[in-house]
Short mmCIF file of all heavy atoms in Angstrom, two decimals:
data_model
loop_
_atom_site.label_atom_id
_atom_site.label_comp_id
_atom_site.label_asym_id
_atom_site.label_seq_id
_atom_site.Cartn_x
_atom_site.Cartn_y
_atom_site.Cartn_z
N MET V 39 117.64 83.90 104.95
CA MET V 39 117.00 83.77 106.25
C MET V 39 116.18 82.43 106.26
O MET V 39 115.54 82.08 105.29
CB MET V 39 115.96 84.95 106.42
CG MET V 39 115.18 84.77 107.66
SD MET V 39 113.89 86.03 107.88
CE MET V 39 114.62 87.52 107.52
N GLU V 40 116.31 81.74 107.36
CA GLU V 40 115.58 80.60 107.56
C GLU V 40 114.65 80.71 108.79
O GLU V 40 115.07 81.30 109.80
CB GLU V 40 116.49 79.36 107.78
CG GLU V 40 117.26 79.01 106.54
CD GLU V 40 118.19 77.78 106.77
OE1 GLU V 40 118.24 77.27 107.93
OE2 GLU V 40 118.79 77.36 105.85
N VAL V 41 113.44 80.17 108.68
CA VAL V 41 112.44 80.26 109.76
C VAL V 41 112.11 78.81 110.09
O VAL V 41 111.80 78.04 109.17
CB VAL V 41 111.21 81.05 109.40
CG1 VAL V 41 110.23 81.14 110.51
CG2 VAL V 41 111.68 82.49 108.96
N TRP V 42 112.02 78.53 111.41
CA TRP V 42 111.69 77.17 111.80
C TRP V 42 110.62 77.25 112.94
O TRP V 42 110.60 78.18 113.66
CB TRP V 42 112.95 76.49 112.42
CG TRP V 42 114.09 76.42 111.47
CD1 TRP V 42 115.02 77.38 111.19
CD2 TRP V 42 114.37 75.27 110.67
NE1 TRP V 42 115.85 76.96 110.20
CE2 TRP V 42 115.57 75.66 109.87
CE3 TRP V 42 113.83 74.06 110.48
CZ2 TRP V 42 116.10 74.78 108.97
CZ3 TRP V 42 114.42 73.19 109.58
CH2 TRP V 42 115.52 73.55 108.80
N THR V 43 109.82 76.21 112.94
CA THR V 43 108.79 76.15 113.98
C THR V 43 109.47 75.68 115.28
O THR V 43 110.64 75.26 115.25
CB THR V 43 107.69 75.09 113.65
OG1 THR V 43 108.27 73.75 113.63
CG2 THR V 43 106.99 75.39 112.34
N THR V 44 108.75 75.79 116.36
CA THR V 44 109.35 75.30 117.63
C THR V 44 109.59 73.81 117.59
O THR V 44 110.35 73.30 118.36
CB THR V 44 108.41 75.66 118.84
OG1 THR V 44 107.11 75.11 118.55
CG2 THR V 44 108.32 77.13 119.01
N GLU V 45 108.89 73.08 116.69
CA GLU V 45 109.13 71.63 116.52
C GLU V 45 110.24 71.32 115.61
O GLU V 45 110.56 70.18 115.31
CB GLU V 45 107.84 70.95 116.03
CG GLU V 45 106.70 70.97 117.00
CD GLU V 45 105.86 72.28 116.89
OE1 GLU V 45 105.86 72.95 115.86
OE2 GLU V 45 105.31 72.64 117.93
N GLY V 46 110.87 72.37 115.02
CA GLY V 46 112.05 72.12 114.11
C GLY V 46 111.68 72.00 112.69
O GLY V 46 112.59 71.64 111.84
N ARG V 47 110.47 72.28 112.30
CA ARG V 47 110.12 72.17 110.89
C ARG V 47 110.37 73.51 110.20
O ARG V 47 110.10 74.59 110.76
CB ARG V 47 108.58 71.81 110.69
CG ARG V 47 108.24 70.39 111.13
CD ARG V 47 106.80 70.15 110.96
NE ARG V 47 106.10 70.88 112.01
CZ ARG V 47 105.01 71.63 111.77
NH1 ARG V 47 104.53 71.77 110.56
NH2 ARG V 47 104.43 72.24 112.76
N PRO V 48 110.84 73.50 108.97
CA PRO V 48 111.15 74.75 108.28
C PRO V 48 109.80 75.41 107.88
O PRO V 48 108.82 74.76 107.56
CB PRO V 48 111.95 74.32 107.02
CG PRO V 48 111.61 72.92 106.83
CD PRO V 48 111.31 72.37 108.19
N VAL V 49 109.78 76.75 107.88
CA VAL V 49 108.61 77.51 107.43
C VAL V 49 109.00 78.27 106.19
O VAL V 49 110.04 78.93 106.11
CB VAL V 49 108.21 78.54 108.52
CG1 VAL V 49 107.15 79.45 108.08
CG2 VAL V 49 107.89 77.84 109.84
N ARG V 50 108.25 78.12 105.18
CA ARG V 50 108.50 78.85 103.91
C ARG V 50 107.88 80.19 103.98
O ARG V 50 106.64 80.36 104.10
CB ARG V 50 107.86 78.03 102.73
CG ARG V 50 108.17 78.73 101.40
CD ARG V 50 107.50 77.98 100.26
NE ARG V 50 107.63 78.77 99.02
CZ ARG V 50 106.89 79.76 98.71
NH1 ARG V 50 105.95 80.21 99.50
NH2 ARG V 50 107.09 80.46 97.53
N VAL V 51 108.74 81.22 103.92
CA VAL V 51 108.25 82.61 103.91
C VAL V 51 108.36 83.04 102.47
O VAL V 51 109.51 83.13 101.90
CB VAL V 51 109.08 83.50 104.83
CG1 VAL V 51 108.57 84.94 104.75
CG2 VAL V 51 109.01 82.99 106.27
N PRO V 52 107.22 83.30 101.81
CA PRO V 52 107.29 83.57 100.35
C PRO V 52 107.77 84.98 100.06
O PRO V 52 107.70 85.90 100.85
CB PRO V 52 105.81 83.48 99.94
CG PRO V 52 105.08 83.92 101.22
CD PRO V 52 105.90 83.45 102.30
N GLU V 53 108.36 85.11 98.88
CA GLU V 53 108.62 86.43 98.26
C GLU V 53 109.66 87.22 99.06
O GLU V 53 109.67 87.27 100.26
CB GLU V 53 107.31 87.21 98.10
CG GLU V 53 107.47 88.43 97.30
CD GLU V 53 106.13 89.24 97.24
OE1 GLU V 53 105.14 88.58 97.26
OE2 GLU V 53 106.22 90.39 97.12
N VAL V 54 110.48 87.96 98.29
CA VAL V 54 111.59 88.74 98.89
C VAL V 54 111.03 89.87 99.82
O VAL V 54 111.56 90.04 100.91
CB VAL V 54 112.40 89.37 97.72
CG1 VAL V 54 113.42 90.34 98.29
CG2 VAL V 54 113.10 88.25 96.92
N LYS V 55 110.03 90.54 99.38
CA LYS V 55 109.47 91.66 100.17
C LYS V 55 108.87 91.15 101.51
O LYS V 55 109.00 91.79 102.52
CB LYS V 55 108.39 92.45 99.45
CG LYS V 55 108.93 93.19 98.21
CD LYS V 55 109.60 94.40 98.61
CE LYS V 55 109.91 95.24 97.36
NZ LYS V 55 111.13 96.04 97.45
N VAL V 56 108.30 89.93 101.50
CA VAL V 56 107.74 89.39 102.77
C VAL V 56 108.88 89.00 103.68
O VAL V 56 108.82 89.22 104.89
CB VAL V 56 106.79 88.24 102.46
CG1 VAL V 56 106.25 87.62 103.73
CG2 VAL V 56 105.65 88.66 101.54
N ARG V 57 109.96 88.47 103.15
CA ARG V 57 111.12 88.08 103.96
C ARG V 57 111.73 89.37 104.49
O ARG V 57 112.25 89.43 105.64
CB ARG V 57 112.08 87.22 103.18
CG ARG V 57 111.56 85.82 102.97
CD ARG V 57 112.66 84.91 102.39
NE ARG V 57 113.16 85.30 101.05
CZ ARG V 57 112.63 85.00 99.87
NH1 ARG V 57 111.54 84.24 99.87
NH2 ARG V 57 113.18 85.35 98.80
N ALA V 58 111.81 90.42 103.66
CA ALA V 58 112.38 91.71 104.11
C ALA V 58 111.56 92.30 105.24
O ALA V 58 112.07 92.77 106.21
CB ALA V 58 112.43 92.66 102.95
N LEU V 59 110.22 92.16 105.13
CA LEU V 59 109.34 92.64 106.22
C LEU V 59 109.63 91.93 107.51
O LEU V 59 109.75 92.56 108.57
CB LEU V 59 107.88 92.43 105.73
CG LEU V 59 106.77 92.68 106.84
CD1 LEU V 59 106.81 94.18 107.25
CD2 LEU V 59 105.43 92.30 106.30
N LEU V 60 109.77 90.62 107.44
CA LEU V 60 110.08 89.85 108.63
C LEU V 60 111.43 90.29 109.22
O LEU V 60 111.52 90.45 110.44
CB LEU V 60 110.11 88.33 108.29
CG LEU V 60 110.48 87.41 109.42
CD1 LEU V 60 109.60 87.57 110.62
CD2 LEU V 60 110.52 85.94 108.91
N ALA V 61 112.42 90.51 108.39
CA ALA V 61 113.74 90.93 108.85
C ALA V 61 113.62 92.31 109.58
O ALA V 61 114.25 92.45 110.58
CB ALA V 61 114.69 91.06 107.68
N VAL V 62 112.89 93.24 108.98
CA VAL V 62 112.72 94.50 109.62
C VAL V 62 112.01 94.38 110.98
O VAL V 62 112.48 95.02 111.97
CB VAL V 62 111.92 95.49 108.73
CG1 VAL V 62 111.54 96.77 109.44
CG2 VAL V 62 112.69 95.79 107.45
N LEU V 63 110.99 93.61 111.05
CA LEU V 63 110.26 93.38 112.29
C LEU V 63 111.18 92.71 113.35
O LEU V 63 111.17 93.09 114.50
CB LEU V 63 109.01 92.58 112.06
CG LEU V 63 107.93 93.30 111.23
CD1 LEU V 63 106.78 92.30 110.94
CD2 LEU V 63 107.45 94.58 111.95
N LEU V 64 111.96 91.76 112.91
CA LEU V 64 112.90 91.13 113.83
C LEU V 64 113.94 92.05 114.35
O LEU V 64 114.35 92.02 115.50
CB LEU V 64 113.53 89.85 113.21
CG LEU V 64 112.62 88.70 113.02
CD1 LEU V 64 113.33 87.58 112.13
CD2 LEU V 64 112.16 88.09 114.31
N ALA V 65 114.42 92.94 113.45
CA ALA V 65 115.45 93.90 113.85
C ALA V 65 114.95 94.95 114.87
O ALA V 65 115.72 95.47 115.60
CB ALA V 65 115.99 94.61 112.59
N HIS V 66 113.62 95.15 114.86
CA HIS V 66 113.05 96.13 115.77
C HIS V 66 112.21 95.39 116.85
O HIS V 66 111.28 95.95 117.40
CB HIS V 66 112.13 97.09 114.99
CG HIS V 66 112.89 97.96 114.09
ND1 HIS V 66 113.25 97.63 112.84
CD2 HIS V 66 113.39 99.21 114.29
CE1 HIS V 66 113.91 98.60 112.24
NE2 HIS V 66 114.05 99.63 113.16
N GLN V 67 112.55 94.21 117.14
CA GLN V 67 111.80 93.36 118.09
C GLN V 67 111.53 94.10 119.37
O GLN V 67 112.47 94.67 120.03
CB GLN V 67 112.52 92.02 118.37
CG GLN V 67 111.81 91.09 119.26
CD GLN V 67 112.57 89.77 119.44
OE1 GLN V 67 113.63 89.62 118.94
NE2 GLN V 67 111.97 88.89 120.15
N GLY V 68 110.27 94.15 119.80
CA GLY V 68 109.91 94.74 121.05
C GLY V 68 109.66 96.29 120.95
O GLY V 68 109.32 96.90 121.91
N ARG V 69 109.88 96.82 119.73
CA ARG V 69 109.71 98.27 119.52
C ARG V 69 108.64 98.52 118.47
O ARG V 69 108.42 97.65 117.55
CB ARG V 69 111.01 98.91 119.08
CG ARG V 69 112.04 98.91 120.17
CD ARG V 69 113.35 99.48 119.67
NE ARG V 69 114.00 98.36 118.93
CZ ARG V 69 115.03 98.56 118.12
NH1 ARG V 69 115.52 99.75 117.88
NH2 ARG V 69 115.59 97.56 117.48
N VAL V 70 107.97 99.62 118.52
CA VAL V 70 106.96 100.00 117.57
C VAL V 70 107.67 100.35 116.26
O VAL V 70 108.69 101.10 116.23
CB VAL V 70 106.14 101.18 118.04
CG1 VAL V 70 105.23 101.70 116.95
CG2 VAL V 70 105.35 100.81 119.29
N VAL V 71 107.18 99.81 115.16
CA VAL V 71 107.65 100.18 113.84
C VAL V 71 106.47 100.76 113.07
O VAL V 71 105.44 100.08 112.89
CB VAL V 71 108.18 98.93 113.06
CG1 VAL V 71 108.78 99.35 111.72
CG2 VAL V 71 109.24 98.21 113.89
N THR V 72 106.59 102.04 112.63
CA THR V 72 105.49 102.70 112.00
C THR V 72 105.32 102.12 110.57
O THR V 72 106.24 101.57 109.98
CB THR V 72 105.70 104.20 111.88
OG1 THR V 72 106.80 104.48 111.01
CG2 THR V 72 105.91 104.78 113.32
N THR V 73 104.12 102.37 110.04
CA THR V 73 103.87 101.98 108.66
C THR V 73 104.86 102.67 107.70
O THR V 73 105.32 102.08 106.75
CB THR V 73 102.45 102.17 108.24
OG1 THR V 73 102.09 103.55 108.49
CG2 THR V 73 101.49 101.25 108.95
N ASP V 74 105.10 103.94 107.97
CA ASP V 74 106.05 104.72 107.17
C ASP V 74 107.43 104.10 107.16
O ASP V 74 108.06 104.03 106.10
CB ASP V 74 106.12 106.18 107.60
CG ASP V 74 104.94 106.98 107.25
OD1 ASP V 74 104.12 106.56 106.36
OD2 ASP V 74 104.66 108.04 107.93
N GLN V 75 107.86 103.63 108.35
CA GLN V 75 109.18 102.96 108.41
C GLN V 75 109.17 101.66 107.60
O GLN V 75 110.19 101.36 106.91
CB GLN V 75 109.51 102.68 109.85
CG GLN V 75 109.89 103.87 110.67
CD GLN V 75 110.11 103.47 112.15
OE1 GLN V 75 109.17 102.90 112.76
NE2 GLN V 75 111.23 103.73 112.71
N LEU V 76 108.10 100.89 107.70
CA LEU V 76 108.03 99.64 106.94
C LEU V 76 108.02 99.91 105.47
O LEU V 76 108.73 99.21 104.72
CB LEU V 76 106.77 98.85 107.37
CG LEU V 76 106.81 98.31 108.81
CD1 LEU V 76 105.51 97.69 109.21
CD2 LEU V 76 107.96 97.30 109.02
N ILE V 77 107.26 100.88 105.01
CA ILE V 77 107.18 101.17 103.61
C ILE V 77 108.54 101.63 103.10
O ILE V 77 109.03 101.27 102.02
CB ILE V 77 106.08 102.24 103.33
CG1 ILE V 77 104.71 101.60 103.51
CG2 ILE V 77 106.23 102.81 101.92
CD1 ILE V 77 103.52 102.56 103.58
N GLU V 78 109.20 102.49 103.89
CA GLU V 78 110.54 102.95 103.48
C GLU V 78 111.52 101.81 103.42
O GLU V 78 112.38 101.70 102.53
CB GLU V 78 111.05 104.00 104.48
CG GLU V 78 112.39 104.51 104.22
CD GLU V 78 112.63 105.25 102.96
OE1 GLU V 78 111.62 105.81 102.41
OE2 GLU V 78 113.73 105.24 102.39
N SER V 79 111.43 100.89 104.38
CA SER V 79 112.30 99.72 104.40
C SER V 79 112.10 98.83 103.20
O SER V 79 113.06 98.27 102.65
CB SER V 79 112.11 98.96 105.67
OG SER V 79 112.52 99.68 106.84
N LEU V 80 110.85 98.66 102.80
CA LEU V 80 110.55 97.72 101.68
C LEU V 80 110.75 98.37 100.34
O LEU V 80 111.14 97.68 99.40
CB LEU V 80 109.14 97.24 101.84
CG LEU V 80 108.87 96.38 103.04
CD1 LEU V 80 107.39 95.86 103.07
CD2 LEU V 80 109.77 95.19 103.14
N TRP V 81 110.48 99.66 100.18
CA TRP V 81 110.46 100.26 98.88
C TRP V 81 111.34 101.53 98.81
O TRP V 81 111.29 102.26 97.78
CB TRP V 81 109.07 100.59 98.41
CG TRP V 81 108.23 99.40 98.14
CD1 TRP V 81 108.32 98.57 97.04
CD2 TRP V 81 107.23 98.82 98.93
NE1 TRP V 81 107.43 97.57 97.11
CE2 TRP V 81 106.74 97.67 98.28
CE3 TRP V 81 106.68 99.20 100.15
CZ2 TRP V 81 105.73 96.88 98.84
CZ3 TRP V 81 105.65 98.38 100.69
CH2 TRP V 81 105.22 97.31 100.02
N GLY V 82 112.12 101.83 99.84
CA GLY V 82 112.90 103.05 99.89
C GLY V 82 113.81 103.25 98.71
O GLY V 82 113.98 104.39 98.26
N GLY V 83 114.47 102.27 98.24
CA GLY V 83 115.42 102.41 97.11
C GLY V 83 114.83 102.30 95.78
O GLY V 83 115.50 102.42 94.77
N SER V 84 113.52 102.11 95.69
CA SER V 84 112.87 101.97 94.39
C SER V 84 111.51 102.72 94.42
O SER V 84 111.14 103.28 95.42
CB SER V 84 112.59 100.48 94.11
OG SER V 84 111.76 99.91 95.07
N THR V 85 110.88 102.74 93.29
CA THR V 85 109.59 103.36 93.19
C THR V 85 108.54 102.54 93.92
O THR V 85 108.37 101.37 93.69
CB THR V 85 109.15 103.47 91.67
OG1 THR V 85 110.13 104.18 91.02
CG2 THR V 85 107.84 104.23 91.58
N PRO V 86 107.89 103.17 94.90
CA PRO V 86 106.85 102.42 95.69
C PRO V 86 105.66 102.08 94.80
O PRO V 86 105.44 102.72 93.78
CB PRO V 86 106.44 103.37 96.80
CG PRO V 86 106.81 104.71 96.33
CD PRO V 86 107.96 104.56 95.35
N PRO V 87 104.89 101.09 95.24
CA PRO V 87 103.63 100.81 94.47
C PRO V 87 102.68 101.93 94.47
O PRO V 87 102.86 102.86 95.35
CB PRO V 87 103.11 99.58 95.18
CG PRO V 87 103.80 99.51 96.48
CD PRO V 87 105.05 100.23 96.35
N ALA V 88 101.66 101.89 93.61
CA ALA V 88 100.68 102.98 93.59
C ALA V 88 100.04 103.24 94.93
O ALA V 88 99.73 104.34 95.31
CB ALA V 88 99.64 102.66 92.51
N ASN V 89 99.75 102.13 95.62
CA ASN V 89 99.12 102.26 96.96
C ASN V 89 99.98 101.54 97.95
O ASN V 89 99.77 100.32 98.26
CB ASN V 89 97.72 101.68 96.90
CG ASN V 89 96.92 101.96 98.19
OD1 ASN V 89 97.52 102.15 99.24
ND2 ASN V 89 95.58 101.82 98.16
N PRO V 90 101.01 102.17 98.52
CA PRO V 90 101.92 101.47 99.36
C PRO V 90 101.30 100.89 100.62
O PRO V 90 101.69 99.81 101.08
CB PRO V 90 102.97 102.57 99.70
CG PRO V 90 102.50 103.83 99.13
CD PRO V 90 101.35 103.58 98.28
N MET V 91 100.28 101.54 101.16
CA MET V 91 99.62 101.05 102.37
C MET V 91 98.97 99.71 102.10
O MET V 91 99.05 98.78 102.82
CB MET V 91 98.61 102.07 102.92
CG MET V 91 97.99 101.61 104.20
SD MET V 91 99.14 101.39 105.56
CE MET V 91 99.19 103.00 106.15
N ALA V 92 98.24 99.62 100.96
CA ALA V 92 97.57 98.40 100.59
C ALA V 92 98.59 97.29 100.31
O ALA V 92 98.41 96.12 100.66
CB ALA V 92 96.68 98.59 99.39
N SER V 93 99.68 97.67 99.64
CA SER V 93 100.71 96.67 99.33
C SER V 93 101.38 96.18 100.66
O SER V 93 101.60 94.96 100.75
CB SER V 93 101.76 97.29 98.45
OG SER V 93 101.21 97.55 97.20
N LEU V 94 101.59 97.04 101.62
CA LEU V 94 102.19 96.65 102.91
C LEU V 94 101.21 95.70 103.61
O LEU V 94 101.62 94.68 104.13
CB LEU V 94 102.46 97.91 103.75
CG LEU V 94 102.97 97.61 105.16
CD1 LEU V 94 104.29 96.77 105.12
CD2 LEU V 94 103.16 98.87 105.91
N GLN V 95 99.97 96.05 103.62
CA GLN V 95 98.95 95.19 104.26
C GLN V 95 98.92 93.80 103.66
O GLN V 95 98.79 92.86 104.28
CB GLN V 95 97.57 95.82 104.24
CG GLN V 95 97.43 97.01 105.20
CD GLN V 95 96.07 97.59 105.21
OE1 GLN V 95 95.34 97.56 104.25
NE2 GLN V 95 95.75 98.26 106.31
N ALA V 96 99.08 93.75 102.31
CA ALA V 96 99.12 92.45 101.63
C ALA V 96 100.36 91.63 102.05
O ALA V 96 100.24 90.42 102.29
CB ALA V 96 99.14 92.64 100.13
N LYS V 97 101.52 92.32 102.16
CA LYS V 97 102.75 91.61 102.60
C LYS V 97 102.55 91.15 104.07
O LYS V 97 102.98 90.02 104.40
CB LYS V 97 103.93 92.55 102.52
CG LYS V 97 104.19 93.12 101.16
CD LYS V 97 104.41 92.04 100.16
CE LYS V 97 104.63 92.65 98.78
NZ LYS V 97 104.16 91.82 97.63
N VAL V 98 101.95 91.92 104.96
CA VAL V 98 101.71 91.51 106.33
C VAL V 98 100.83 90.30 106.35
O VAL V 98 101.05 89.37 107.08
CB VAL V 98 101.12 92.72 107.16
CG1 VAL V 98 100.64 92.18 108.49
CG2 VAL V 98 102.18 93.80 107.33
N SER V 99 99.77 90.28 105.53
CA SER V 99 98.93 89.18 105.46
C SER V 99 99.61 87.90 105.02
O SER V 99 99.40 86.85 105.56
CB SER V 99 97.72 89.42 104.54
OG SER V 99 96.88 90.42 105.09
N GLN V 100 100.47 88.01 104.01
CA GLN V 100 101.28 86.91 103.52
C GLN V 100 102.13 86.37 104.62
O GLN V 100 102.30 85.16 104.82
CB GLN V 100 102.10 87.29 102.30
CG GLN V 100 101.32 87.52 101.06
CD GLN V 100 102.20 88.01 99.94
OE1 GLN V 100 102.78 89.05 100.00
NE2 GLN V 100 102.31 87.18 98.90
N LEU V 101 102.80 87.28 105.35
CA LEU V 101 103.66 86.86 106.44
C LEU V 101 102.90 86.17 107.56
O LEU V 101 103.29 85.07 107.99
CB LEU V 101 104.41 88.08 107.01
CG LEU V 101 105.39 87.83 108.14
CD1 LEU V 101 106.44 86.76 107.75
CD2 LEU V 101 106.02 89.10 108.61
N ARG V 102 101.78 86.68 107.93
CA ARG V 102 100.95 86.08 108.93
C ARG V 102 100.52 84.64 108.50
O ARG V 102 100.62 83.71 109.33
CB ARG V 102 99.66 86.89 109.22
CG ARG V 102 99.97 88.09 110.09
CD ARG V 102 98.70 88.78 110.37
NE ARG V 102 98.95 89.91 111.29
CZ ARG V 102 98.22 90.99 111.41
NH1 ARG V 102 97.10 91.06 110.72
NH2 ARG V 102 98.54 91.95 112.22
N ARG V 103 100.09 84.45 107.29
CA ARG V 103 99.68 83.18 106.79
C ARG V 103 100.82 82.18 106.87
O ARG V 103 100.66 81.04 107.25
CB ARG V 103 99.12 83.28 105.38
CG ARG V 103 97.66 83.64 105.27
CD ARG V 103 97.12 83.39 103.88
NE ARG V 103 97.84 84.07 102.79
CZ ARG V 103 97.59 85.33 102.43
NH1 ARG V 103 96.67 86.06 102.97
NH2 ARG V 103 98.33 85.90 101.49
N ALA V 104 102.03 82.62 106.44
CA ALA V 104 103.18 81.74 106.46
C ALA V 104 103.48 81.34 107.88
O ALA V 104 103.85 80.13 108.08
CB ALA V 104 104.37 82.45 105.80
N LEU V 105 103.41 82.25 108.83
CA LEU V 105 103.85 81.93 110.22
C LEU V 105 102.71 81.18 110.94
O LEU V 105 103.04 80.42 111.88
CB LEU V 105 104.16 83.24 110.96
CG LEU V 105 105.39 84.01 110.40
CD1 LEU V 105 105.57 85.28 111.17
CD2 LEU V 105 106.61 83.13 110.45
N GLU V 106 101.49 81.25 110.51
CA GLU V 106 100.43 80.54 111.13
C GLU V 106 100.37 79.05 110.71
O GLU V 106 99.88 78.19 111.43
CB GLU V 106 99.04 81.21 110.84
CG GLU V 106 98.84 82.46 111.57
CD GLU V 106 97.56 83.21 111.18
OE1 GLU V 106 96.93 82.77 110.15
OE2 GLU V 106 97.25 84.20 111.79
N GLU V 107 100.85 78.75 109.53
CA GLU V 107 100.78 77.36 109.04
C GLU V 107 101.70 76.44 109.70
O GLU V 107 102.51 76.43 110.38
CB GLU V 107 101.10 77.37 107.52
CG GLU V 107 100.08 78.06 106.70
CD GLU V 107 100.37 78.11 105.23
OE1 GLU V 107 101.41 77.58 104.81
OE2 GLU V 107 99.61 78.70 104.49
#
C-alpha cells in the first residue's frame, strides 16, 4: 500500500499492523467500524496482545501521527 499527500509526497505508514488498520478503515470508508471489528481484523488469526484495546489505541495514534506529518 502506498499513501501520498495531496501534494504528491509519499507518506511513510509504519509497521504492518498500522498499515492493516489503515486498510480496514479504507475498506469501510464512510461506515462505523467498531473496536471489536478492528481488533478482530488486526489480531483475529493470532493471539491478541494482553490488552488489545490499549494496543489498538497505540496503532491508531501511530496512524494519526503518520497522516498528520
Side-chain angles (χ1 to χ4, degrees):
M39 173 188 316
E40 293 182 355
V41 180
W42 300 84
T43 66
T44 55
E45 293 84 28
R47 290 179 289 130
V49 176
R50 183 183 171 282
V51 179
E53 191 182 329
V54 172
K55 295 282 189 209
V56 178
R57 289 190 298 274
L59 172 62
L60 177 58
V62 170
L63 293 173
L64 288 171
H66 292 87
Q67 184 177 2
R69 292 176 279 164
V70 173
V71 183
T72 67
T73 54
D74 288 339
Q75 288 174 304
L76 292 173
I77 290 168
E78 177 64 26
S79 294
L80 296 180
W81 291 284
S84 61
T85 304
N89 187 340
M91 183 63 85
S93 294
L94 176 60
Q95 286 181 335
K97 302 301 177 211
V98 169
S99 292
Q100 288 176 297
L101 179 57
R102 283 183 176 157
R103 276 193 304 275
L105 296 177
E106 287 173 351
E107 293 178 1

